[in-house]
mmCIF file of all heavy atoms in Angstrom:
data_model
loop_
_atom_site.group_PDB
_atom_site.id
_atom_site.type_symbol
_atom_site.label_atom_id
_atom_site.label_comp_id
_atom_site.label_asym_id
_atom_site.label_seq_id
_atom_site.Cartn_x
_atom_site.Cartn_y
_atom_site.Cartn_z
ATOM 1 N N TYR A 35 -6.076 14.251 -10.354
ATOM 2 C CA TYR A 35 -7.482 14.226 -10.758
ATOM 3 C C TYR A 35 -8.247 15.437 -10.180
ATOM 4 O O TYR A 35 -7.775 16.054 -9.228
ATOM 5 C CB TYR A 35 -8.210 13.021 -10.155
ATOM 6 C CG TYR A 35 -7.947 11.721 -10.851
ATOM 7 C CD1 TYR A 35 -6.852 10.890 -10.490
ATOM 8 C CD2 TYR A 35 -8.701 11.257 -11.879
ATOM 9 C CE1 TYR A 35 -6.586 9.713 -11.124
ATOM 10 C CE2 TYR A 35 -8.521 9.969 -12.481
ATOM 11 C CZ TYR A 35 -7.441 9.209 -12.051
ATOM 12 O OH TYR A 35 -7.163 8.022 -12.680
ATOM 13 N N GLN A 37 -12.199 16.690 -9.100
ATOM 14 C CA GLN A 37 -13.561 16.284 -8.816
ATOM 15 C C GLN A 37 -14.392 17.528 -8.605
ATOM 16 O O GLN A 37 -14.303 18.076 -7.531
ATOM 17 C CB GLN A 37 -13.639 15.328 -7.640
ATOM 18 C CG GLN A 37 -15.018 14.795 -7.403
ATOM 19 C CD GLN A 37 -15.096 13.800 -6.228
ATOM 20 O OE1 GLN A 37 -14.223 13.812 -5.350
ATOM 21 N NE2 GLN A 37 -16.166 12.987 -6.143
ATOM 22 N N SER A 42 -17.910 13.313 -11.028
ATOM 23 C CA SER A 42 -16.947 12.244 -10.960
ATOM 24 C C SER A 42 -15.488 12.797 -10.994
ATOM 25 O O SER A 42 -15.219 14.016 -11.101
ATOM 26 C CB SER A 42 -17.168 11.296 -12.166
ATOM 27 O OG SER A 42 -16.281 10.192 -12.026
ATOM 28 N N GLU A 58 -4.352 15.490 -20.225
ATOM 29 C CA GLU A 58 -5.530 14.923 -20.901
ATOM 30 C C GLU A 58 -6.225 16.094 -21.669
ATOM 31 O O GLU A 58 -5.933 17.275 -21.439
ATOM 32 C CB GLU A 58 -6.538 14.362 -19.801
ATOM 33 C CG GLU A 58 -5.981 13.195 -19.053
ATOM 34 C CD GLU A 58 -5.623 12.071 -19.935
ATOM 35 O OE1 GLU A 58 -6.504 11.573 -20.762
ATOM 36 O OE2 GLU A 58 -4.418 11.577 -19.956
ATOM 37 N N ARG A 96 -0.414 4.426 -8.248
ATOM 38 C CA ARG A 96 -0.873 3.069 -8.444
ATOM 39 C C ARG A 96 0.017 2.069 -7.680
ATOM 40 O O ARG A 96 1.242 2.174 -7.768
ATOM 41 C CB ARG A 96 -0.976 2.723 -9.898
ATOM 42 C CG ARG A 96 -1.783 1.525 -10.218
ATOM 43 C CD ARG A 96 -2.105 1.450 -11.618
ATOM 44 N NE ARG A 96 -0.936 0.937 -12.425
ATOM 45 C CZ ARG A 96 -0.707 1.297 -13.684
ATOM 46 N NH1 ARG A 96 -1.447 2.255 -14.295
ATOM 47 N NH2 ARG A 96 0.348 0.832 -14.359
ATOM 48 N N ASP A 98 -0.149 -2.413 -6.700
ATOM 49 C CA ASP A 98 -0.980 -3.600 -6.617
ATOM 50 C C ASP A 98 -2.180 -3.454 -7.523
ATOM 51 O O ASP A 98 -3.313 -3.892 -7.218
ATOM 52 C CB ASP A 98 -1.401 -3.960 -5.135
ATOM 53 C CG ASP A 98 -1.984 -5.342 -5.060
ATOM 54 O OD1 ASP A 98 -1.687 -6.172 -5.917
ATOM 55 O OD2 ASP A 98 -2.863 -5.584 -4.187
ATOM 56 N N GLU A 99 -2.000 -2.849 -8.663
ATOM 57 C CA GLU A 99 -2.953 -2.588 -9.657
ATOM 58 C C GLU A 99 -4.180 -1.773 -9.234
ATOM 59 O O GLU A 99 -5.178 -1.663 -9.998
ATOM 60 C CB GLU A 99 -3.514 -3.976 -10.247
ATOM 61 C CG GLU A 99 -2.477 -4.878 -10.860
ATOM 62 C CD GLU A 99 -1.849 -4.242 -12.071
ATOM 63 O OE1 GLU A 99 -2.371 -3.221 -12.567
ATOM 64 O OE2 GLU A 99 -0.913 -4.808 -12.579
ATOM 65 N N LYS A 100 -4.122 -1.078 -8.126
ATOM 66 C CA LYS A 100 -5.164 -0.224 -7.764
ATOM 67 C C LYS A 100 -4.606 1.127 -7.445
ATOM 68 O O LYS A 100 -3.429 1.259 -7.273
ATOM 69 C CB LYS A 100 -5.970 -0.767 -6.504
ATOM 70 C CG LYS A 100 -5.130 -0.979 -5.275
ATOM 71 C CD LYS A 100 -6.010 -1.534 -4.170
ATOM 72 C CE LYS A 100 -5.256 -1.828 -2.919
ATOM 73 N NZ LYS A 100 -4.572 -3.129 -3.011
ATOM 74 N N LEU A 101 -5.555 2.129 -7.310
ATOM 75 C CA LEU A 101 -5.085 3.499 -7.018
ATOM 76 C C LEU A 101 -5.203 3.792 -5.537
ATOM 77 O O LEU A 101 -6.164 3.399 -4.886
ATOM 78 C CB LEU A 101 -5.925 4.480 -7.838
ATOM 79 C CG LEU A 101 -5.753 4.474 -9.339
ATOM 80 C CD1 LEU A 101 -6.715 5.484 -9.987
ATOM 81 C CD2 LEU A 101 -4.281 4.841 -9.757
ATOM 82 N N PHE B 34 -12.640 -1.756 -11.275
ATOM 83 C CA PHE B 34 -12.484 -1.392 -9.890
ATOM 84 C C PHE B 34 -13.746 -0.740 -9.406
ATOM 85 O O PHE B 34 -14.539 -0.164 -10.154
ATOM 86 C CB PHE B 34 -11.317 -0.366 -9.728
ATOM 87 C CG PHE B 34 -10.070 -0.788 -10.345
ATOM 88 C CD1 PHE B 34 -9.791 -0.482 -11.676
ATOM 89 C CD2 PHE B 34 -9.144 -1.399 -9.618
ATOM 90 C CE1 PHE B 34 -8.649 -0.869 -12.262
ATOM 91 C CE2 PHE B 34 -7.901 -1.762 -10.188
ATOM 92 C CZ PHE B 34 -7.644 -1.514 -11.524
ATOM 93 N N TYR B 36 -14.589 2.004 -6.167
ATOM 94 C CA TYR B 36 -14.124 2.801 -5.046
ATOM 95 C C TYR B 36 -15.275 3.464 -4.372
ATOM 96 O O TYR B 36 -16.401 3.659 -4.918
ATOM 97 C CB TYR B 36 -13.224 3.926 -5.654
ATOM 98 C CG TYR B 36 -11.900 3.415 -6.223
ATOM 99 C CD1 TYR B 36 -11.816 3.021 -7.520
ATOM 100 C CD2 TYR B 36 -10.720 3.471 -5.415
ATOM 101 C CE1 TYR B 36 -10.567 2.646 -8.026
ATOM 102 C CE2 TYR B 36 -9.523 2.985 -5.932
ATOM 103 C CZ TYR B 36 -9.503 2.543 -7.229
ATOM 104 O OH TYR B 36 -8.296 2.102 -7.755
ATOM 105 N N GLN B 38 -16.571 6.700 -1.678
ATOM 106 C CA GLN B 38 -16.180 7.974 -1.076
ATOM 107 C C GLN B 38 -17.255 8.345 -0.042
ATOM 108 O O GLN B 38 -18.383 8.586 -0.325
ATOM 109 C CB GLN B 38 -16.140 9.059 -2.171
ATOM 110 C CG GLN B 38 -15.532 10.398 -1.713
ATOM 111 C CD GLN B 38 -15.433 11.323 -2.860
ATOM 112 O OE1 GLN B 38 -16.297 11.482 -3.730
ATOM 113 N NE2 GLN B 38 -14.327 12.114 -2.860
ATOM 114 N N LYS B 49 -11.419 -5.185 -6.858
ATOM 115 C CA LYS B 49 -10.907 -5.085 -8.229
ATOM 116 C C LYS B 49 -11.087 -6.445 -8.967
ATOM 117 O O LYS B 49 -11.154 -7.497 -8.295
ATOM 118 C CB LYS B 49 -9.468 -4.706 -8.306
ATOM 119 C CG LYS B 49 -8.541 -5.784 -7.663
ATOM 120 C CD LYS B 49 -7.080 -5.373 -7.704
ATOM 121 C CE LYS B 49 -6.243 -6.426 -7.061
ATOM 122 N NZ LYS B 49 -4.837 -6.033 -6.948
ATOM 123 N N ARG B 94 -9.494 0.360 -16.316
ATOM 124 C CA ARG B 94 -8.181 0.617 -16.983
ATOM 125 C C ARG B 94 -8.011 -0.405 -18.004
ATOM 126 O O ARG B 94 -8.378 -1.541 -17.878
ATOM 127 C CB ARG B 94 -7.116 0.617 -15.961
ATOM 128 C CG ARG B 94 -5.701 0.877 -16.471
ATOM 129 C CD ARG B 94 -4.717 1.254 -15.339
ATOM 130 N NE ARG B 94 -4.449 0.203 -14.419
ATOM 131 C CZ ARG B 94 -3.500 -0.689 -14.628
ATOM 132 N NH1 ARG B 94 -2.788 -0.609 -15.718
ATOM 133 N NH2 ARG B 94 -3.299 -1.664 -13.770
ATOM 134 N N PHE B 100 -2.308 3.074 -18.850
ATOM 135 C CA PHE B 100 -1.923 3.481 -17.530
ATOM 136 C C PHE B 100 -2.980 4.396 -16.884
ATOM 137 O O PHE B 100 -2.878 4.781 -15.739
ATOM 138 C CB PHE B 100 -0.531 4.244 -17.642
ATOM 139 C CG PHE B 100 -0.657 5.421 -18.492
ATOM 140 C CD1 PHE B 100 -0.984 6.704 -18.009
ATOM 141 C CD2 PHE B 100 -0.285 5.363 -19.854
ATOM 142 C CE1 PHE B 100 -0.992 7.796 -18.787
ATOM 143 C CE2 PHE B 100 -0.300 6.509 -20.659
ATOM 144 C CZ PHE B 100 -0.661 7.702 -20.163
ATOM 145 N N LYS B 101 -3.989 4.777 -17.700
ATOM 146 C CA LYS B 101 -5.004 5.699 -17.174
ATOM 147 C C LYS B 101 -6.169 4.900 -16.583
ATOM 148 O O LYS B 101 -6.681 3.996 -17.187
ATOM 149 C CB LYS B 101 -5.554 6.591 -18.279
ATOM 150 C CG LYS B 101 -4.487 7.575 -18.840
ATOM 151 C CD LYS B 101 -5.061 8.552 -19.756
ATOM 152 C CE LYS B 101 -5.599 7.968 -21.017
ATOM 153 N NZ LYS B 101 -6.063 8.967 -21.987
ATOM 154 N N THR B 102 -6.632 5.381 -15.410
ATOM 155 C CA THR B 102 -7.845 4.811 -14.840
ATOM 156 C C THR B 102 -8.959 5.869 -15.075
ATOM 157 O O THR B 102 -8.800 7.025 -14.675
ATOM 158 C CB THR B 102 -7.688 4.532 -13.391
ATOM 159 O OG1 THR B 102 -6.658 3.567 -13.200
ATOM 160 C CG2 THR B 102 -8.956 3.893 -12.783
ATOM 161 N N GLY B 105 -16.372 6.279 -13.598
ATOM 162 C CA GLY B 105 -17.762 6.501 -13.940
ATOM 163 C C GLY B 105 -18.234 7.726 -13.158
ATOM 164 O O GLY B 105 -17.600 8.335 -12.361
#
Side-chain angles (χ1 to χ4, degrees):
Chain A
Y35 284 88
Q37 186 179 18
S42 184
E58 297 301 305
R96 195 166 78 212
D98 189 26
E99 299 297 351
K100 60 180 177 278
L101 292 178
Chain B
F34 309 87
Y36 292 85
Q38 189 173 41
K49 65 182 178 184
R94 182 162 66 87
F100 60 89
K101 295 188 293 187
T102 301

